[in-house]
Amino acid sequence: MFAVAAESTMVLLRVRVLSTRHFSITRLLPDNNNKWHTLPPFSPTPTSLSASASTTALKWVLRCCPHLPKPLVHKLFRLRQVRRSSSPTIIKRVAAKDTLNSGDTIFLPLSVKHIPTEKKRHSDLTPQQIQFVRSLVLYKDPAVLVLNKPPGMPVQGGTNIKRSLDVLAAACLNFEYPDSPRLVHRLDRDCSGILVMGRTQTSATILHSIFREKTSTASDDIDAENRILQRRYIALVIGCPRRPRGLITASLGKVVVDNGKSDRITIVDNSTLLSSQHAITEYHVIGSSSHGYTWLELYPLTGRKHQLRVHCAEVLGTPIVGDYKYGWQAHRKFGPDNLSDVDSSEELCKEEMLPFGLTMNKGSISERCPRLHLHCKQIVLPNIYRALQDVQSPHYDLNQVGNLALTAPLPPYMQRSWDITNS
């Protein structure tokens, strides 16, 4: 038993060694519990007393806090910010799938009390904002909704994010469906392009399994015809890869920097480490310019965080334009000075302010601080709606249905960079 003093409150930690590399920490409840929002103690209903109908921590939070966005609740569990108390003195971290016992108490971060209700969050949208969100729709059927995500808009909500695409979709893109569209994959905040959402619980579950299985079963086989899911990104990079095409197989891992204030993804040489994740990217060179830039087609065979950005910067040695997190040094050598023959007048870069403070025109390579030039151009996936109509058995093969080939145009600033490098 170890005692650790934190300001004026004494917090006790009980450490139990599980193996040579793992240990669990149990925190004893402090007297002052002002940092947590406490939910009512779990009380099973008569229908949930059996093991087959057990209630998980996730279900209890959603039941007690119907006003909280589901993506936010999932994020709290993913970031390990949810606690459970099974006795008056002990509080532990709890996972979303952990089963609750009668009398268990769930604690959430106190900040969730300041999340506005669903009605309040949606009532302040202007007609222009609603029209803008609906203009992002590239395709919809009874099972799938596909958006052209604008750069600069976060996909998922959080405690410090006022507007995110999942919340806006729930407000504007139900199209008279009882359920809100559900995220099945993600794009970086500054990335643009195709974002797929499921319109029902069933279609979202199928789509999520497709994206997840794509990552877990990925191999070095680059035969695109055998892939049930295909994604094609367009990126502008600084420099030029040594080979015009290739396959990058490099595991990724997270490292903490700035004394724990932030983290970044990096290449992990020892892929046997528990924290590493295998990552595979296929790339093709589209063309190079005399200005020192190269356009690439990127095909991620796995879906890891910052995978394309790290593979381009650390493996190919050609960081993506506008990626200052992984390519800061390269950006110091490049800039508008390399484009002395390009007209960068304000008339060409005239900006139109869009709803939610978004901008789309400025940020090309003709400007001093270009934006991230990474765009999900195309996704090919099975026709989920047709599969749900034709399915006759639980082992239905999605390869037997037709594909949906979805394409999103480049944002204006990337299109201008394309025109500059191809002039």
Side-chain angles (χ1 to χ4, degrees), residues 81-299:
Q81 294 181 355
V82 184
R83 303 290 190 269
R84 172 176 64 179
S85 173
S86 301
S87 71
T89 58
I90 297 179
I91 182 173
K92 297 182 179 180
R93 291 190 181 98
V94 62
K97 297 182 179 180
D98 286 354
T99 301
L100 297 184
N101 300 316
S102 180
D104 284 357
T105 302
I106 295 294
F107 299 88
L108 302 178
L110 194 61
S111 56
V112 302
K113 295 182 66 175
H114 306 294
I115 300 295
T117 63
E118 200 80 5
K119 182 177 180 181
K120 183 177 179 181
R121 285 188 295 114
H122 298 162
S123 62
D124 60 348
L125 292 179
T126 66
Q128 293 78 13
Q129 291 173 330
I130 296 175
Q131 182 180 3
F132 174 76
V133 173
R134 291 180 175 173
S135 71
L136 302 178
V137 176
L138 294 172
Y139 171 85
K140 71 178 175 71
D141 62 28
V144 174
L145 183 70
V146 181
L147 308 180
N148 184 10
K149 175 194 169 303
M153 175 170 284
V155 166
Q156 195 168 32
T159 54
N160 295 321
I161 296 177
K162 294 182 179 180
R163 302 291 191 188
S164 59
L165 208 48
D166 58 342
V167 172
L168 294 174
C172 309
L173 303 180
N174 283 27
F175 297 109
E176 299 181 355
Y177 265 47
D179 296 333
S180 301
R182 295 170 168 85
L183 292 172
V184 297
H185 70 112
R186 294 171 179 82
L187 294 177
D188 290 347
R189 179 172 187 157
D190 294 323
C191 181
S192 60
I194 294 179
L195 183 73
V196 181
M197 306 183 79
R199 298 193 68 190
T200 65
Q201 178 64 54
T202 301
S203 62
T205 300
I206 296 174
L207 287 166
H208 187 266
S209 65
I210 289 174
F211 279 87
R212 184 177 62 244
E213 184 177 358
K214 163 185 173 290
T215 292
S216 61
T217 61
S219 65
D220 293 351
D221 183 9
I222 61 174
D223 185 6
E225 295 181 358
N226 294 328
R227 301 179 198 161
I228 194 172
L229 174 68
Q230 303 169 37
R231 287 192 286 183
R232 178 167 66 96
Y233 285 73
I234 300 295
L236 181 64
V237 299
I238 298 175
C240 182
R242 288 181 294 178
R243 298 179 180 179
R245 63 174 55 211
L247 189 71
I248 303 171
T249 303
S251 297
L252 303 177
K254 181 186 293 186
V255 296
V256 178
V257 296
D258 295 336
N259 296 322
K261 296 180 181 179
S262 61
D263 57 64
R264 58 181 287 145
I265 308 299
T266 187
I267 300 297
V268 178
D269 293 332
N270 186 0
S271 60
T272 61
L273 294 176
L274 294 177
S275 60
S276 67
Q277 296 178 317
H278 78 289
I280 307 174
T281 302
E282 181 185 354
Y283 74 91
H284 299 163
V285 171
I286 299 176
S288 299
S289 74
S290 59
H291 309 100
Y293 299 101
T294 301
W295 287 98
L296 299 181
E297 284 183 333
L298 301 172
Y299 300 86

Side-chain angles (χ1 to χ4, degrees), residues 316-345:
L316 296 181
T318 56
I320 297 175
V321 171
D323 188 357
Y324 304 104
K325 185 181 185 74
Y326 298 106
W328 175 251
Q329 293 296 331
H331 281 82
R332 295 178 61 183
K333 303 177 183 178
F334 280 77
D337 295 339
N338 297 324
L339 303 170
S340 56
D341 58 333
V342 175
D343 184 1
S344 58
S345 63

